[in-house]
Amino acid sequence: MIERNKPVLLARINKMKQVTDVEEYQKYNGFSGLLEAIKMEKERILDELDLAHLRGRGGAAFPLGKKWRHLYGAKGDTKYIVCNADEGEPGTFKDKALLEQDPLSVIEGMVIAGYLFSAKAGYIYIRGEYRRIQKIFQEALDNAEKAGFLGENIVGIQGFNYTITIISGAGAYVCGENSALLNSIEGKTGRPRVKPPHLADVGLYLQPTLVNNVESFASIPVILREGGQAYRDLGTEDGGGTKLICLSGHVKNRGLYEVNLGTPLQEILYSEEYGGGTATGRPLKFIHFGGQSGPIGAVENLDDCIYSYEGLWDNDLSIGSGAIVVMDDQVSIVDYLVNVAAFFAHESCGKCTPCRLGTTRILELLTKFNTQTAVSGDLERLRKMLTHVTNLSACGLGQSVANPMRSGLTYFPKEFEAGIREAVAPIKGGFW
Amino acid sequence: MSSLSLSEKEAIILENDSDPRRILNMLIAIQYASEEGFIDEETAKLVADRLHLSEARVYEILSFYAILKTEPQAKYVLKICNSTPCLFTGGEMLSEVLEMILEVPADQPTPDGLFMYHSIPCIGACDQGPVIKIKDTVFGELTEAKVYQLIDDLKCGCYQEL
Protein backbone atom coordinates (compact mmCIF):
# COMPACT_ATOMS: atom_id res chain seq x y z
CA MET A 1 0.00 0.00 0.00
CA ILE A 2 1.21 3.48 -0.76
CA GLU A 3 0.13 6.36 1.42
CA ARG A 4 0.21 10.11 1.20
CA ASN A 5 3.09 11.89 2.90
CA LYS A 6 5.27 8.80 2.78
CA PRO A 7 8.19 8.38 0.43
CA VAL A 8 7.30 6.44 -2.70
CA LEU A 9 10.20 6.89 -5.10
CA LEU A 10 12.63 7.34 -2.24
CA ALA A 11 11.13 4.49 -0.19
CA ARG A 12 14.10 2.18 -0.62
CA ILE A 13 16.81 4.79 -0.37
CA ASN A 14 18.97 4.49 2.74
CA LYS A 15 17.36 1.14 3.54
CA MET A 16 19.27 -1.02 1.11
CA LYS A 17 22.83 -1.78 2.07
CA GLN A 18 23.79 -2.86 -1.45
CA VAL A 19 21.87 -0.68 -3.86
CA THR A 20 22.73 -2.84 -6.87
CA ASP A 21 21.75 -6.12 -5.20
CA VAL A 22 18.68 -7.67 -6.82
CA GLU A 23 17.64 -9.78 -3.82
CA GLU A 24 17.73 -6.81 -1.53
CA TYR A 25 15.83 -4.72 -4.08
CA GLN A 26 13.14 -7.41 -4.18
CA LYS A 27 12.86 -7.33 -0.40
CA TYR A 28 11.46 -3.80 -0.76
CA ASN A 29 8.89 -4.51 -3.48
CA GLY A 30 11.49 -4.56 -6.24
CA PHE A 31 10.46 -6.08 -9.57
CA SER A 32 6.89 -6.66 -8.34
CA GLY A 33 5.75 -3.95 -10.80
CA LEU A 34 7.25 -5.98 -13.65
CA LEU A 35 5.75 -9.21 -12.34
CA GLU A 36 2.31 -7.55 -12.20
CA ALA A 37 2.78 -6.11 -15.70
CA ILE A 38 3.46 -9.45 -17.36
CA LYS A 39 0.21 -10.84 -15.95
CA MET A 40 -1.79 -8.05 -17.62
CA GLU A 41 -3.05 -7.65 -21.16
CA LYS A 42 -0.90 -5.02 -22.82
CA GLU A 43 -3.88 -2.71 -23.33
CA ARG A 44 -4.52 -2.93 -19.60
CA ILE A 45 -0.99 -1.67 -18.86
CA LEU A 46 -1.71 1.37 -21.01
CA ASP A 47 -5.04 1.88 -19.22
CA GLU A 48 -3.34 1.85 -15.83
CA LEU A 49 -0.81 4.43 -17.03
CA ASP A 50 -3.60 6.66 -18.33
CA LEU A 51 -5.45 6.32 -15.05
CA ALA A 52 -2.30 7.19 -13.07
CA HIS A 53 -1.99 10.47 -14.99
CA LEU A 54 1.76 10.61 -14.63
CA ARG A 55 3.21 13.63 -16.37
CA GLY A 56 6.72 13.39 -17.81
CA ARG A 57 9.16 14.31 -15.07
CA GLY A 58 11.89 15.65 -17.33
CA GLY A 59 10.21 19.02 -17.49
CA ALA A 60 7.77 19.06 -20.40
CA ALA A 61 4.97 17.54 -18.27
CA PHE A 62 3.48 15.67 -21.24
CA PRO A 63 1.10 12.91 -20.08
CA LEU A 64 3.16 9.74 -20.10
CA GLY A 65 0.16 7.52 -20.88
CA LYS A 66 -0.44 9.39 -24.13
CA LYS A 67 3.20 9.18 -25.16
CA TRP A 68 3.29 5.42 -24.52
CA ARG A 69 0.02 4.88 -26.38
CA HIS A 70 1.41 6.81 -29.35
CA LEU A 71 4.46 4.54 -29.48
CA TYR A 72 2.29 1.46 -28.96
CA GLY A 73 0.34 2.38 -32.08
CA ALA A 74 3.43 3.37 -34.10
CA LYS A 75 4.22 1.23 -37.13
CA GLY A 76 7.47 -0.72 -37.04
CA ASP A 77 8.83 -3.96 -35.65
CA THR A 78 11.94 -2.47 -34.06
CA LYS A 79 11.19 -0.07 -31.26
CA TYR A 80 13.77 1.47 -28.98
CA ILE A 81 13.53 2.45 -25.32
CA VAL A 82 15.69 5.38 -24.22
CA CYS A 83 16.13 6.79 -20.74
CA ASN A 84 17.20 10.41 -20.58
CA ALA A 85 19.65 10.63 -17.67
CA ASP A 86 21.46 13.69 -19.00
CA GLU A 87 20.44 15.68 -15.95
CA GLY A 88 22.15 18.98 -16.71
CA GLU A 89 19.44 21.42 -15.73
CA PRO A 90 20.93 23.80 -13.17
CA GLY A 91 19.24 23.43 -9.81
CA THR A 92 18.32 19.79 -10.47
CA PHE A 93 19.89 16.78 -8.78
CA LYS A 94 17.02 14.34 -8.38
CA ASP A 95 17.86 11.84 -11.13
CA LYS A 96 21.32 11.56 -9.64
CA ALA A 97 19.78 10.24 -6.40
CA LEU A 98 17.75 7.56 -8.18
CA LEU A 99 20.61 6.47 -10.45
CA GLU A 100 23.04 6.31 -7.59
CA GLN A 101 20.90 4.97 -4.78
CA ASP A 102 18.13 2.98 -6.45
CA PRO A 103 19.33 2.14 -9.96
CA LEU A 104 17.25 -1.03 -10.17
CA SER A 105 14.01 0.97 -10.00
CA VAL A 106 15.01 2.79 -13.21
CA ILE A 107 15.99 -0.52 -14.79
CA GLU A 108 12.64 -2.08 -13.80
CA GLY A 109 10.75 0.79 -15.45
CA MET A 110 12.79 0.34 -18.61
CA VAL A 111 12.22 -3.42 -18.63
CA ILE A 112 8.46 -2.90 -18.34
CA ALA A 113 8.67 -0.58 -21.37
CA GLY A 114 10.73 -3.23 -23.18
CA TYR A 115 8.06 -5.82 -22.46
CA LEU A 116 5.15 -3.63 -23.53
CA PHE A 117 6.73 -2.54 -26.82
CA SER A 118 8.51 -5.86 -27.51
CA ALA A 119 11.74 -3.88 -27.75
CA LYS A 120 15.09 -5.61 -28.01
CA ALA A 121 17.32 -2.74 -27.01
CA GLY A 122 17.18 -0.02 -24.40
CA TYR A 123 19.67 2.78 -23.88
CA ILE A 124 20.33 4.99 -20.91
CA TYR A 125 22.18 8.21 -21.68
CA ILE A 126 23.93 9.30 -18.48
CA ARG A 127 25.69 12.65 -18.38
CA GLY A 128 29.48 12.65 -18.40
CA GLU A 129 29.66 14.50 -15.09
CA TYR A 130 28.05 11.46 -13.41
CA ARG A 131 30.86 9.08 -14.41
CA ARG A 132 31.00 7.43 -11.00
CA ILE A 133 27.29 6.74 -11.14
CA GLN A 134 27.69 5.11 -14.55
CA LYS A 135 29.80 2.45 -12.84
CA ILE A 136 27.14 1.83 -10.18
CA PHE A 137 24.48 1.62 -12.85
CA GLN A 138 26.52 -0.85 -14.88
CA GLU A 139 26.85 -3.04 -11.81
CA ALA A 140 23.07 -2.92 -11.34
CA LEU A 141 22.58 -3.91 -15.00
CA ASP A 142 24.97 -6.84 -14.63
CA ASN A 143 23.21 -8.04 -11.49
CA ALA A 144 19.78 -7.72 -13.10
CA GLU A 145 20.98 -9.79 -16.03
CA LYS A 146 22.37 -12.49 -13.73
CA ALA A 147 19.04 -12.65 -11.93
CA GLY A 148 17.15 -13.06 -15.18
CA PHE A 149 15.56 -9.61 -15.41
CA LEU A 150 17.61 -8.64 -18.48
CA GLY A 151 19.15 -10.65 -21.29
CA GLU A 152 17.35 -13.60 -22.86
CA ASN A 153 13.96 -15.11 -21.97
CA ILE A 154 13.44 -12.56 -19.21
CA VAL A 155 11.40 -13.83 -16.21
CA GLY A 156 10.99 -17.09 -18.08
CA ILE A 157 9.02 -15.62 -20.99
CA GLN A 158 10.22 -17.23 -24.21
CA GLY A 159 11.43 -14.63 -26.67
CA PHE A 160 11.46 -11.75 -24.21
CA ASN A 161 15.03 -10.69 -24.99
CA TYR A 162 16.07 -7.22 -23.96
CA THR A 163 19.32 -5.47 -23.06
CA ILE A 164 20.16 -2.02 -21.74
CA THR A 165 23.35 -0.19 -22.75
CA ILE A 166 24.83 2.83 -20.98
CA ILE A 167 25.85 5.68 -23.23
CA SER A 168 27.89 8.46 -21.68
CA GLY A 169 27.30 12.11 -22.37
CA ALA A 170 30.25 14.47 -22.42
CA GLY A 171 29.08 17.85 -21.23
CA ALA A 172 26.50 19.32 -23.58
CA TYR A 173 23.31 20.71 -22.06
CA VAL A 174 21.48 20.53 -25.39
CA CYS A 175 21.77 16.71 -25.33
CA GLY A 176 19.00 16.74 -22.73
CA GLU A 177 16.74 17.64 -25.65
CA ASN A 178 15.35 14.30 -26.76
CA SER A 179 16.26 14.39 -30.45
CA ALA A 180 19.75 15.77 -29.74
CA LEU A 181 20.14 12.95 -27.25
CA LEU A 182 19.28 10.36 -29.91
CA ASN A 183 21.85 11.89 -32.28
CA SER A 184 24.42 11.66 -29.53
CA ILE A 185 23.59 7.98 -28.94
CA GLU A 186 24.11 7.36 -32.65
CA GLY A 187 27.67 8.60 -32.12
CA LYS A 188 27.09 11.99 -33.72
CA THR A 189 27.37 15.45 -32.28
CA GLY A 190 24.35 16.15 -30.12
CA ARG A 191 22.44 18.72 -32.12
CA PRO A 192 18.64 18.59 -32.18
CA ARG A 193 16.65 17.32 -35.14
CA VAL A 194 13.84 19.18 -36.79
CA LYS A 195 10.48 17.91 -35.50
CA PRO A 196 8.04 16.65 -36.73
CA PRO A 197 8.31 13.74 -37.34
CA HIS A 198 7.64 12.74 -33.76
CA LEU A 199 10.30 10.53 -32.15
CA ALA A 200 7.62 7.91 -31.46
CA ASP A 201 7.43 7.47 -35.24
CA VAL A 202 10.96 8.31 -36.39
CA GLY A 203 13.47 8.14 -33.55
CA LEU A 204 16.73 6.32 -32.91
CA TYR A 205 18.11 4.97 -36.21
CA LEU A 206 14.86 6.28 -37.71
CA GLN A 207 12.81 3.66 -35.79
CA PRO A 208 9.94 4.37 -33.36
CA THR A 209 11.49 5.38 -30.05
CA LEU A 210 10.34 6.09 -26.51
CA VAL A 211 12.32 8.70 -24.59
CA ASN A 212 11.49 9.28 -20.94
CA ASN A 213 13.22 10.81 -17.95
CA VAL A 214 14.79 8.80 -15.11
CA GLU A 215 12.13 9.78 -12.57
CA SER A 216 9.36 8.85 -15.01
CA PHE A 217 10.81 5.38 -15.54
CA ALA A 218 11.25 4.89 -11.78
CA SER A 219 7.55 5.72 -11.31
CA ILE A 220 6.31 3.04 -13.73
CA PRO A 221 6.86 0.03 -11.40
CA VAL A 222 4.98 1.85 -8.62
CA ILE A 223 1.97 2.42 -10.89
CA LEU A 224 1.77 -1.20 -12.02
CA ARG A 225 2.34 -2.55 -8.53
CA GLU A 226 -0.17 -0.34 -6.75
CA GLY A 227 -2.58 0.41 -9.58
CA GLY A 228 -3.12 3.58 -11.59
CA GLN A 229 -5.84 4.94 -9.31
CA ALA A 230 -3.80 4.59 -6.12
CA TYR A 231 -0.92 6.42 -7.82
CA ARG A 232 -3.16 9.18 -9.07
CA ASP A 233 -4.58 9.66 -5.57
CA LEU A 234 -1.11 10.64 -4.37
CA GLY A 235 -1.32 13.77 -6.48
CA THR A 236 -4.00 16.05 -7.84
CA GLU A 237 -6.51 16.17 -10.68
CA ASP A 238 -3.98 17.38 -13.27
CA GLY A 239 -1.09 15.17 -12.34
CA GLY A 240 -0.83 12.03 -10.24
CA GLY A 241 1.89 10.83 -7.94
CA THR A 242 4.66 12.36 -5.92
CA LYS A 243 7.36 14.66 -7.23
CA LEU A 244 11.03 14.79 -6.35
CA ILE A 245 11.97 18.40 -5.65
CA CYS A 246 15.42 19.93 -5.39
CA LEU A 247 15.68 22.87 -3.00
CA SER A 248 18.69 25.14 -3.44
CA GLY A 249 19.74 28.75 -3.06
CA HIS A 250 18.98 30.74 0.08
CA VAL A 251 16.79 28.26 1.98
CA LYS A 252 18.11 26.76 5.18
CA ASN A 253 17.63 23.06 4.39
CA ARG A 254 18.86 22.67 0.85
CA GLY A 255 18.44 19.19 -0.58
CA LEU A 256 16.29 16.57 -2.24
CA TYR A 257 12.74 15.91 -1.02
CA GLU A 258 9.74 13.95 -2.20
CA VAL A 259 6.37 15.68 -1.93
CA ASN A 260 2.84 14.80 -2.90
CA LEU A 261 1.69 16.96 -5.79
CA GLY A 262 -0.73 19.34 -4.09
CA THR A 263 1.51 20.31 -1.17
CA PRO A 264 1.29 24.05 -0.29
CA LEU A 265 4.32 25.94 -1.57
CA GLN A 266 4.61 27.81 1.74
CA GLU A 267 5.09 24.51 3.51
CA ILE A 268 7.87 23.56 1.09
CA LEU A 269 9.61 26.90 1.61
CA TYR A 270 9.20 27.43 5.33
CA SER A 271 8.38 24.24 7.24
CA GLU A 272 11.30 22.62 9.04
CA GLU A 273 10.52 19.35 7.30
CA TYR A 274 11.48 20.93 3.96
CA GLY A 275 13.13 24.28 3.22
CA GLY A 276 13.07 25.71 6.74
CA GLY A 277 12.85 29.33 5.58
CA THR A 278 15.67 31.70 4.86
CA ALA A 279 19.31 30.72 5.36
CA THR A 280 20.64 34.25 5.30
CA GLY A 281 18.26 35.99 7.69
CA ARG A 282 16.99 38.10 4.77
CA PRO A 283 13.45 37.73 3.43
CA LEU A 284 13.05 35.42 0.44
CA LYS A 285 12.40 37.36 -2.76
CA PHE A 286 11.91 35.13 -5.77
CA ILE A 287 11.86 31.48 -6.83
CA HIS A 288 13.13 30.05 -10.09
CA PHE A 289 11.11 26.93 -10.87
CA GLY A 290 12.06 23.90 -12.92
CA GLY A 291 15.52 24.82 -14.15
CA GLN A 292 17.13 27.70 -16.03
CA SER A 293 14.44 27.80 -18.69
CA GLY A 294 11.64 27.79 -16.13
CA PRO A 295 9.59 30.78 -15.02
CA ILE A 296 10.30 32.90 -11.95
CA GLY A 297 7.75 33.79 -9.27
CA ALA A 298 7.84 36.56 -6.66
CA VAL A 299 7.54 35.00 -3.19
CA GLU A 300 5.15 37.73 -1.99
CA ASN A 301 2.59 36.73 -4.64
CA LEU A 302 2.63 33.05 -3.80
CA ASP A 303 1.07 32.84 -0.33
CA ASP A 304 -1.72 30.53 -1.46
CA CYS A 305 0.12 28.72 -4.21
CA ILE A 306 -0.19 24.93 -4.29
CA TYR A 307 2.75 22.93 -5.62
CA SER A 308 0.99 20.95 -8.32
CA TYR A 309 0.85 21.22 -12.09
CA GLU A 310 -2.38 23.20 -12.13
CA GLY A 311 -1.49 25.17 -8.99
CA LEU A 312 1.66 26.51 -10.62
CA TRP A 313 0.03 27.02 -14.04
CA ASP A 314 -2.55 29.26 -12.35
CA ASN A 315 0.33 31.50 -11.33
CA ASP A 316 2.05 31.39 -14.76
CA LEU A 317 4.64 29.04 -13.33
CA SER A 318 5.53 25.43 -13.98
CA ILE A 319 7.06 22.46 -12.20
CA GLY A 320 9.61 21.64 -14.92
CA SER A 321 12.30 19.34 -13.64
CA GLY A 322 11.40 19.91 -9.98
CA ALA A 323 14.15 22.46 -9.32
CA ILE A 324 13.23 25.15 -6.78
CA VAL A 325 15.96 27.78 -6.63
CA VAL A 326 15.16 30.35 -3.95
CA MET A 327 16.83 33.77 -3.78
CA ASP A 328 16.72 36.35 -0.99
CA ASP A 329 16.11 40.09 -1.33
CA GLN A 330 19.77 40.93 -1.79
CA VAL A 331 19.83 39.38 -5.23
CA SER A 332 18.98 41.71 -8.07
CA ILE A 333 16.70 40.07 -10.60
CA VAL A 334 18.65 41.64 -13.47
CA ASP A 335 21.96 40.35 -12.13
CA TYR A 336 20.38 36.89 -11.72
CA LEU A 337 19.03 36.90 -15.26
CA VAL A 338 22.39 37.98 -16.71
CA ASN A 339 23.79 34.74 -15.36
CA VAL A 340 20.87 32.73 -16.71
CA ALA A 341 21.36 34.35 -20.12
CA ALA A 342 25.10 33.64 -20.02
CA PHE A 343 24.29 29.98 -19.44
CA PHE A 344 22.09 29.83 -22.55
CA ALA A 345 24.54 31.77 -24.71
CA HIS A 346 27.15 29.21 -23.69
CA GLU A 347 24.97 26.14 -24.18
CA SER A 348 23.19 27.06 -27.42
CA CYS A 349 24.40 24.43 -29.89
CA GLY A 350 24.60 26.93 -32.73
CA LYS A 351 22.61 24.95 -35.26
CA CYS A 352 19.87 27.52 -35.72
CA THR A 353 20.49 31.25 -36.01
CA PRO A 354 17.66 32.59 -33.81
CA CYS A 355 19.00 30.72 -30.81
CA ARG A 356 22.72 31.14 -31.54
CA LEU A 357 22.54 34.91 -32.05
CA GLY A 358 19.42 35.57 -30.00
CA THR A 359 20.84 34.18 -26.77
CA THR A 360 23.92 36.41 -27.23
CA ARG A 361 21.81 39.50 -27.96
CA ILE A 362 19.69 38.82 -24.86
CA LEU A 363 22.84 38.51 -22.75
CA GLU A 364 24.22 41.79 -24.15
CA LEU A 365 20.97 43.66 -23.48
CA LEU A 366 20.59 42.32 -19.96
CA THR A 367 24.21 43.22 -19.22
CA LYS A 368 23.44 46.80 -20.25
CA PHE A 369 20.58 46.94 -17.74
CA ASN A 370 22.81 45.42 -15.12
CA THR A 371 25.54 48.02 -15.59
CA GLN A 372 23.09 50.95 -15.80
CA THR A 373 24.09 51.62 -19.38
CA ALA A 374 20.79 50.73 -21.07
CA VAL A 375 19.18 53.50 -23.11
CA SER A 376 15.53 54.21 -23.74
CA GLY A 377 14.27 51.73 -26.30
CA ASP A 378 16.37 48.88 -24.92
CA LEU A 379 13.42 47.52 -22.97
CA GLU A 380 11.47 47.32 -26.20
CA ARG A 381 14.45 45.71 -27.96
CA LEU A 382 14.75 43.12 -25.18
CA ARG A 383 11.05 42.24 -25.40
CA LYS A 384 11.26 41.86 -29.17
CA MET A 385 14.36 39.71 -28.98
CA LEU A 386 12.64 37.45 -26.42
CA THR A 387 9.71 37.00 -28.80
CA HIS A 388 11.98 36.24 -31.77
CA VAL A 389 14.02 33.64 -29.93
CA THR A 390 10.88 31.95 -28.58
CA ASN A 391 9.03 31.83 -31.89
CA LEU A 392 11.85 31.09 -34.31
CA SER A 393 14.17 28.67 -32.53
CA ALA A 394 14.14 25.09 -33.76
CA CYS A 395 14.18 23.20 -30.46
CA GLY A 396 13.00 23.43 -26.90
CA LEU A 397 16.23 25.04 -25.71
CA GLY A 398 15.75 28.25 -27.68
CA GLN A 399 11.98 28.19 -27.38
CA SER A 400 12.11 28.36 -23.61
CA VAL A 401 15.03 30.73 -23.02
CA ALA A 402 12.70 33.70 -22.60
CA ASN A 403 10.57 32.24 -19.77
CA PRO A 404 12.61 33.54 -16.80
CA MET A 405 13.24 36.92 -18.48
CA ARG A 406 9.54 37.43 -19.11
CA SER A 407 8.71 36.68 -15.48
CA GLY A 408 11.42 39.10 -14.38
CA LEU A 409 9.97 41.86 -16.56
CA THR A 410 6.48 41.17 -15.22
CA TYR A 411 7.19 41.05 -11.49
CA PHE A 412 10.20 43.35 -11.10
CA PRO A 413 9.86 46.01 -13.84
CA LYS A 414 11.39 48.73 -11.64
CA GLU A 415 14.72 46.93 -11.47
CA PHE A 416 14.95 47.01 -15.24
CA GLU A 417 13.92 50.67 -15.40
CA ALA A 418 16.65 51.49 -12.89
CA GLY A 419 19.18 50.22 -15.41
CA ILE A 420 18.22 52.77 -18.03
CA ARG A 421 20.55 55.74 -18.20
CA GLU A 422 18.70 59.02 -18.11
CA ALA A 423 18.71 61.00 -21.34
CA VAL A 424 21.19 63.90 -21.43
CA ALA A 425 19.13 67.00 -20.68
CA PRO A 426 19.86 70.32 -22.40
CA ILE A 427 20.65 73.21 -20.12
CA LYS A 428 17.69 75.51 -19.88
CA GLY A 429 18.00 79.29 -19.95
CA GLY A 430 21.07 81.37 -20.78
CA PHE A 431 21.93 83.05 -24.05
CA TRP A 432 23.65 80.66 -26.40
CA MET B 1 52.24 12.85 -25.63
CA SER B 2 49.70 11.00 -23.60
CA SER B 3 50.98 8.71 -20.88
CA LEU B 4 48.79 5.77 -21.86
CA SER B 5 50.41 3.06 -23.92
CA LEU B 6 48.88 1.89 -27.16
CA SER B 7 47.70 -1.33 -25.57
CA GLU B 8 46.06 0.50 -22.66
CA LYS B 9 44.12 2.67 -25.09
CA GLU B 10 43.16 -0.38 -27.12
CA ALA B 11 41.96 -2.10 -23.95
CA ILE B 12 39.60 0.81 -23.23
CA ILE B 13 38.27 0.64 -26.79
CA LEU B 14 37.71 -3.12 -26.49
CA GLU B 15 36.02 -2.75 -23.09
CA ASN B 16 33.43 -0.73 -25.00
CA ASP B 17 33.18 -3.42 -27.70
CA SER B 18 34.68 -1.03 -30.31
CA ASP B 19 31.07 0.21 -30.52
CA PRO B 20 30.85 3.63 -32.24
CA ARG B 21 27.75 4.40 -30.15
CA ARG B 22 29.99 4.36 -27.09
CA ILE B 23 32.64 6.67 -28.51
CA LEU B 24 32.02 9.21 -25.73
CA ASN B 25 32.47 6.52 -23.06
CA MET B 26 35.83 5.63 -24.62
CA LEU B 27 37.13 9.14 -25.16
CA ILE B 28 36.27 10.18 -21.60
CA ALA B 29 37.85 7.04 -20.14
CA ILE B 30 41.05 7.57 -22.15
CA GLN B 31 41.20 11.25 -21.27
CA TYR B 32 40.70 10.65 -17.55
CA ALA B 33 43.38 7.96 -17.51
CA SER B 34 45.93 10.06 -19.37
CA GLU B 35 48.47 12.16 -17.55
CA GLU B 36 47.80 15.42 -19.33
CA GLY B 37 44.02 15.08 -19.46
CA PHE B 38 43.40 15.53 -23.17
CA ILE B 39 42.94 13.56 -26.38
CA ASP B 40 45.94 14.06 -28.64
CA GLU B 41 45.92 13.68 -32.40
CA GLU B 42 47.46 10.24 -32.32
CA THR B 43 44.77 8.94 -29.95
CA ALA B 44 42.01 10.53 -32.01
CA LYS B 45 43.39 8.78 -35.11
CA LEU B 46 43.53 5.47 -33.26
CA VAL B 47 39.89 5.77 -32.15
CA ALA B 48 38.81 6.75 -35.66
CA ASP B 49 40.66 3.77 -37.09
CA ARG B 50 39.29 1.20 -34.63
CA LEU B 51 35.71 2.42 -34.89
CA HIS B 52 35.84 2.86 -38.66
CA LEU B 53 34.99 6.54 -38.43
CA SER B 54 36.63 9.41 -40.25
CA GLU B 55 39.14 11.50 -38.32
CA ALA B 56 36.97 14.52 -39.04
CA ARG B 57 34.03 12.87 -37.25
CA VAL B 58 36.15 12.19 -34.17
CA TYR B 59 37.48 15.75 -34.18
CA GLU B 60 33.93 17.09 -34.55
CA ILE B 61 32.96 15.16 -31.44
CA LEU B 62 36.04 16.31 -29.51
CA SER B 63 35.31 19.93 -30.28
CA PHE B 64 31.55 19.75 -29.59
CA TYR B 65 31.50 18.23 -26.10
CA ALA B 66 32.75 20.39 -23.24
CA ILE B 67 34.29 17.61 -21.16
CA LEU B 68 36.61 16.50 -23.97
CA LYS B 69 39.82 18.48 -24.36
CA THR B 70 42.25 18.81 -27.26
CA GLU B 71 44.94 20.71 -25.36
CA PRO B 72 47.10 19.55 -22.42
CA GLN B 73 45.55 20.33 -19.03
CA ALA B 74 47.16 21.02 -15.67
CA LYS B 75 47.47 18.16 -13.20
CA TYR B 76 44.58 19.46 -11.13
CA VAL B 77 41.83 21.20 -13.07
CA LEU B 78 39.50 22.93 -10.63
CA LYS B 79 36.07 23.27 -12.13
CA ILE B 80 33.90 25.92 -10.51
CA CYS B 81 30.14 25.61 -10.88
CA ASN B 82 28.84 28.95 -12.14
CA SER B 83 25.13 28.15 -12.41
CA THR B 84 22.85 30.42 -10.44
CA PRO B 85 22.18 28.22 -7.35
CA CYS B 86 25.94 27.99 -6.69
CA LEU B 87 26.89 31.42 -7.97
CA PHE B 88 24.53 33.27 -5.63
CA THR B 89 25.43 31.19 -2.57
CA GLY B 90 29.08 32.20 -2.66
CA GLY B 91 30.29 30.95 -6.04
CA GLU B 92 31.61 34.31 -7.19
CA MET B 93 34.13 34.23 -4.38
CA LEU B 94 35.73 31.01 -5.68
CA SER B 95 37.27 32.36 -8.87
CA GLU B 96 38.45 35.52 -7.09
CA VAL B 97 40.15 33.50 -4.37
CA LEU B 98 41.69 31.07 -6.84
CA GLU B 99 43.05 33.92 -8.92
CA MET B 100 44.59 35.37 -5.79
CA ILE B 101 46.19 32.10 -4.64
CA LEU B 102 47.31 30.77 -8.02
CA GLU B 103 48.14 34.12 -9.63
CA VAL B 104 46.91 33.07 -13.06
CA PRO B 105 43.68 33.95 -14.85
CA ALA B 106 41.03 31.30 -15.58
CA ASP B 107 41.90 28.62 -18.16
CA GLN B 108 45.64 29.15 -17.84
CA PRO B 109 47.88 26.57 -16.12
CA THR B 110 50.15 27.70 -13.30
CA PRO B 111 53.86 27.80 -14.36
CA ASP B 112 54.54 24.53 -12.50
CA GLY B 113 51.76 22.83 -14.49
CA LEU B 114 49.99 21.82 -11.30
CA PHE B 115 46.78 23.90 -11.30
CA MET B 116 44.23 25.37 -13.63
CA TYR B 117 40.68 26.58 -12.99
CA HIS B 118 37.65 27.48 -14.99
CA SER B 119 33.89 27.73 -14.67
CA ILE B 120 31.47 25.07 -15.84
CA PRO B 121 27.68 24.85 -15.75
CA CYS B 122 25.76 22.83 -13.17
CA ILE B 123 27.27 19.56 -11.95
CA GLY B 124 24.23 18.54 -9.91
CA ALA B 125 25.51 19.43 -6.46
CA CYS B 126 23.34 22.54 -6.01
CA ASP B 127 22.48 21.66 -2.40
CA GLN B 128 26.16 21.88 -1.45
CA GLY B 129 27.12 25.08 -3.26
CA PRO B 130 29.49 26.69 -3.76
CA VAL B 131 31.42 23.75 -5.19
CA ILE B 132 34.63 22.87 -6.97
CA LYS B 133 34.94 19.63 -8.91
CA ILE B 134 38.23 17.93 -9.67
CA LYS B 135 37.81 14.93 -11.98
CA ASP B 136 34.99 12.91 -10.33
CA THR B 137 35.35 14.42 -6.87
CA VAL B 138 33.20 17.28 -5.61
CA PHE B 139 34.29 19.63 -2.81
CA GLY B 140 31.21 21.40 -1.42
CA GLU B 141 30.09 24.14 0.99
CA LEU B 142 33.35 25.96 0.35
CA THR B 143 34.54 29.05 2.16
CA GLU B 144 37.60 31.15 1.44
CA ALA B 145 39.54 29.33 4.16
CA LYS B 146 38.54 25.94 2.78
CA VAL B 147 39.78 26.89 -0.70
CA TYR B 148 43.19 27.83 0.72
CA GLN B 149 43.28 24.52 2.54
CA LEU B 150 42.23 22.56 -0.53
CA ILE B 151 45.08 24.04 -2.58
CA ASP B 152 47.54 23.29 0.22
CA ASP B 153 46.27 19.73 0.52
CA LEU B 154 46.56 19.20 -3.22
CA LYS B 155 50.13 20.52 -3.20
CA CYS B 156 51.00 18.13 -0.36
CA GLY B 157 49.64 15.24 -2.36
CA CYS B 158 46.78 14.44 0.03
CA TYR B 159 44.57 13.44 -2.89
CA GLN B 160 46.59 10.77 -4.64
CA GLU B 161 43.59 9.43 -6.49
CA LEU B 162 42.91 12.71 -8.32
Side-chain angles (χ1 to χ4, degrees), chain A residues 87-93 96 123 125 127-132 134-135 138 165-172 174-175 180 183-191 205 247-250 254-256 288 292 325 327 331-332 335-336 339-340 343 346-347 349, chain B residues 16-17 19-26 28-30 32-33 53 57 59-68 79 81-90 92 119-130 133-138 140-141 161-162:
Chain A
E87 183 173 64
E89 191 61 66
T92 314
F93 43 88
K96 186 176 78 167
Y123 294 92
Y125 187 89
R127 71 180 299 204
E129 292 294 343
Y130 291 171
R131 221 167 69 99
R132 270 201 188 148
Q134 292 174 10
K135 290 189 185 125
Q138 185 61 52
T165 309
I166 298 177
I167 304 287
S168 175
V174 73
C175 287
N183 279 344
S184 190
I185 293 180
E186 291 181 13
K188 300 172 184 161
T189 49
R191 291 198 179 86
Y205 300 109
L247 282 173
S248 66
H250 296 140
R254 300 182 292 177
L256 174 76
H288 197 177
Q292 297 284 280
V325 181
M327 290 287 136
V331 178
S332 136
D335 193 22
Y336 185 89
N339 287 291
V340 173
F343 172 79
H346 182 255
E347 293 294 346
C349 81
Chain B
N16 287 287
D17 305 329
D19 180 351
R21 289 172 300 190
R22 284 150 75 183
I23 184 167
L24 295 177
N25 305 42
M26 293 172 216
I28 292 179
I30 294 174
Y32 271 52
L53 299 171
R57 168 61 69 81
Y59 183 71
E60 187 192 12
I61 286 171
L62 288 175
S63 58
F64 182 80
Y65 293 97
I67 291 179
L68 299 171
K79 296 182 277 187
C81 175
N82 70 346
S83 288
T84 52
C86 278
L87 197 69
F88 288 95
T89 51
E92 267 172 338
S119 297
I120 58 163
C122 189
I123 55 163
C126 324
D127 53 343
Q128 294 158 54
K133 192 173 185 197
I134 306 173
K135 286 200 172 167
D136 290 327
T137 306
V138 176
E141 315 221 344
E161 75 282 6
L162 290 177

Side-chain angles (χ1 to χ4, degrees), chain A residues 102 108 119 125 139 160 185 221 299 302 331 382 432:
Chain A
D102 198 8
E108 186 180 350
Y125 187 89
E139 197 178 293
F160 180 15
I185 293 180
V299 171
L302 298 173
V331 178
L382 176 62
W432 304 106

